[in-house]
Amino acid sequence: LKAPSRAVCGALSLSAGVNGQFAYHHGVIWDRVYDDHGGDYDVPSFGAGAGLHVGHDWQSDTFVYGVLADFAVYTNEEDDTSPTYRSVSSSLNWMGSVRGRAGVATGDALFCATGGVAFADVDLAYEYLPAPDPDSFIFDSSRVGWTAGLGIEKAMSDRSSIKFETLYTSFGDESAYDGTTCSDDDVIEACSMIGYDDTITVTIGYSLRWQGLQ
């Protein structure tokens, strides 16, 4: 086998390493009953993350494909408070993914696309003040979504590499109810709010590789 990329050299390779991340997390709460009166509440946050990754790649000439899993904890946390009225808060506590990836190796670098399933612990809440208030809307912190992005991995030696990767992750939306009834003109229904979360991450990772290495 020729060695078009030491980052993934060999017919197959296993890898494990560490990640550092920059994360932009966007939490949104939408009050659909009162939407005509400004019922969207956005809580964006910037933070950092640190974690681990493992992967398994196969290579055929210059084409590389594989699977990987990663996990990281994050510092993202933000709130938007109107004193004496309400507090809207959002935080990203941890996030992980299981993804496939495929790309082309050239020289000592691999250029690839990746996508798969993402998991996260996210706190998103609309709380009436003073808290705790039984009419507040607290969303489930366990979320499942999808993620996709692009990356480049460059060999540092026959057994190590560094990667740069950017991912977009969406966890969709979910509804929360407080057990009361709301009305707005012709709309009368159970009081509910819809929460939505998505995240953009930029990752720098370092990997060690073994098996199938040249």
Side-chain angles (χ1 to χ4, degrees):
L1 178 72
K2 295 180 180 179
S5 171
R6 290 188 299 173
V8 288
C9 54
L12 63 85
S13 62
L14 302 174
S15 64
V18 295
N19 293 333
Q21 280 101 350
F22 168 80
Y24 168 76
H25 181 71
H26 186 207
V28 182
I29 293 181
W30 175 39
D31 185 340
R32 61 192 182 98
V33 174
Y34 294 101
D35 182 54
D36 290 340
H37 303 294
D40 285 337
Y41 306 96
D42 294 86
V43 191
S45 64
F46 295 92
L52 305 171
H53 66 266
V54 295
H56 190 176
D57 290 318
W58 293 264
Q59 181 171 329
S60 176
D61 195 17
T62 61
F63 179 65
V64 179
Y65 58 98
V67 294
L68 61 90
D70 58 17
F71 176 87
V73 295
Y74 293 87
T75 62
N76 295 68
E77 185 174 2
E78 191 61 72
D79 67 84
D80 181 6
T81 300
S82 297
T84 73
Y85 175 43
R86 57 126 177 103
S87 174
V88 184
S89 60
S90 173
S91 66
L92 173 63
N93 305 312
W94 59 258
M95 184 166 62
S97 69
V98 178
R99 296 178 273 131
R101 74 171 185 169
V104 176
T106 176
D108 60 358
L110 167 68
F111 299 86
C112 64
T114 181
V117 180
F119 311 88
D121 182 77
V122 177
D123 294 325
L124 186 60
Y126 182 105
E127 297 183 274
Y128 292 103
L129 300 178
D133 189 308
D135 291 334
S136 297
F137 297 84
I138 309 298
F139 295 86
D140 186 0
S141 61
S142 298
R143 307 297 296 275
V144 179
W146 61 269
T147 185
L150 299 172
I152 178 173
E153 186 170 357
K154 180 176 175 59
M156 305 299 291
S157 70
D158 285 345
R159 293 187 177 272
S160 66
S161 63
I162 187 170
K163 70 174 181 178
F164 301 88
E165 186 177 66
T166 181
L167 295 173
Y168 172 79
T169 305
S170 173
F171 296 103
D173 56 50
E174 62 177 336
S175 298
Y177 300 86
D178 69 356
T180 61
T181 301
C182 292
S183 62
D184 181 24
D185 297 330
D186 296 330
V187 178
I188 300 176
E189 57 185 70
C191 292
S192 67
M193 289 189 179
I194 297 174
Y196 177 85
D197 294 278
D198 62 355
T199 305
I200 297 174
T201 55
V202 177
T203 298
I204 300 176
Y206 176 80
S207 300
L208 291 176
R209 294 184 171 273
W210 64 97
Q211 290 191 12
L213 298 172
Q214 295 184 341

